[in-house]
Amino acid sequence: MMKLINKAAAGILLSILLTMALTGCQSNGAKSPEAAQSSAENNTPDEQAKGEGASNSTAPASENSEGQSAEAIKEGSMEKEGNVVLKELAFVYNEHTIAISDTANEDQMEQMLGKPDNLKSHTYSAGDGTNMDTLIGFTEKVYTYPGLEIKTISIPEGKQDSIFHIEMTDPKYATVRNIKAGDSLDTLKNAYPEGKLLGDGAPNEEDEFRYEPSNYVDVMSFHIKNAKVESIQIYSLLD
């Protein structure tokens, strides 16, 4: 009788131990497929949020770099949108930089350069004797100052005048590379190594030193006499 009781107790104890072992394995073991799927679904929004956060954090940097590369270069009163040609074809006076293709009406010209000694205005027409048929309807203005002449043009019924010709003979007006009338030919060559003499360039003869950007429309020309800059012309060819 005692043997049967002991066997029964041993069986119960063994059953309890097995139950505890199985419970421990389930708590420490791998998750069931259903639990794993549920966990993945719960984590996905967080992971996506982290991914979107990384993407968004890089976007402003990209936009900033594009904005910097497209930053407009401003000379005078007109934004050049990075146009190096227009940036170079300019002169400086009293901290004002005035360039070819700048818009400049009479008030603006007076603010930058003072009142001109003379101002002429002409609107091209078929019978004006100039034979400038391509400019019929255009209005040209010529501003004359001591040692400086500036020409502007506006399209028919246009509200803005645009500078297309500048001529300087007074040394108080200098190019953006600080070349002015009276400078030596050697100084000019050092400042504009891209330019060239059109003639033989003999020291005691007259010649033209041309700085001509690759567009072949906008030109800076220095008249040389006795190996010095006598005058400077900056102009844009009109069709």
Side-chain angles (χ1 to χ4, degrees):
M1 185 68 176
M2 288 297 295
K3 290 181 179 180
L4 292 175
I5 294 172
N6 289 337
K7 286 182 179 181
I12 293 170
L13 180 61
L14 179 60
S15 176
I16 292 172
L17 291 174
L18 288 173
T19 301
M20 291 176 63
L22 289 173
T23 303
C25 289
Q26 289 178 355
S27 63
N28 295 328
K31 296 180 180 179
S32 67
E34 292 81 1
Q37 181 178 355
S38 175
S39 175
E41 290 174 354
N42 291 335
N43 290 337
T44 298
D46 293 336
E47 292 171 358
Q48 289 178 349
K50 289 178 182 178
E52 290 172 359
S55 175
N56 291 338
S57 66
T58 57
S62 174
E63 290 170 3
N64 287 341
S65 100
E66 289 176 2
Q68 289 172 358
S69 65
E71 184 178 356
I73 297 175
K74 186 175 177 63
E75 293 292 341
S77 59
M78 180 180 180
E79 291 186 354
K80 304 296 187 294
E81 297 295 338
N83 192 324
V84 175
V85 170
L86 297 180
K87 181 175 182 290
E88 287 288 346
L89 299 180
F91 74 96
V92 180
Y93 176 72
N94 282 350
E95 299 183 354
H96 293 290
T97 302
I98 302 168
I100 289 296
S101 296
D102 272 356
T103 55
N105 57 33
E106 295 180 21
D107 290 338
Q108 290 170 322
M109 292 289 286
E110 186 168 342
Q111 289 174 4
M112 293 185 294
L113 298 167
K115 189 173 182 179
D117 290 353
N118 193 23
L119 173 59
K120 294 181 180 179
S121 180
H122 174 75
T123 300
Y124 290 94
S125 64
D128 63 4
T130 61
N131 295 321
M132 299 293 287
D133 293 343
T134 58
L135 296 180
I136 290 177
F138 286 66
T139 299
E140 177 183 312
K141 294 178 182 177
V142 181
Y143 298 81
T144 303
Y145 299 87
L148 174 69
E149 183 180 86
I150 296 179
K151 296 180 181 180
T152 66
I153 194 122
S154 63
I155 62 175
E157 300 179 1
K159 296 182 179 180
Q160 291 185 324
D161 299 336
S162 177
I163 296 173
F164 75 95
H165 191 280
I166 300 167
E167 183 172 4
M168 302 175 286
T169 57
D170 193 309
K172 68 183 177 182
Y173 306 108
T175 70
V176 291
R177 297 191 191 181
N178 199 32
I179 294 297
K180 54 193 178 299
D183 284 343
S184 69
L185 178 58
D186 288 339
T187 301
L188 172 60
K189 288 180 177 179
N190 289 333
Y192 291 91
E194 313 95 324
K196 62 180 180 180
L197 287 166
L198 301 184
D200 295 333
N204 295 323
E205 295 181 6
E206 296 187 41
D207 205 341
E208 294 292 326
F209 184 91
R210 183 74 60 84
Y211 169 74
E212 188 173 19
S214 58
N215 65 3
Y216 302 109
V217 174
D218 303 299
V219 178
M220 183 181 290
S221 182
F222 303 83
H223 185 73
I224 306 301
K225 186 175 182 180
N226 296 325
K228 289 186 177 181
V229 176
E230 185 177 63
S231 63
I232 304 170
Q233 290 190 54
I234 310 172
Y235 57 91
S236 181
L237 301 175
L238 299 177
D239 295 333

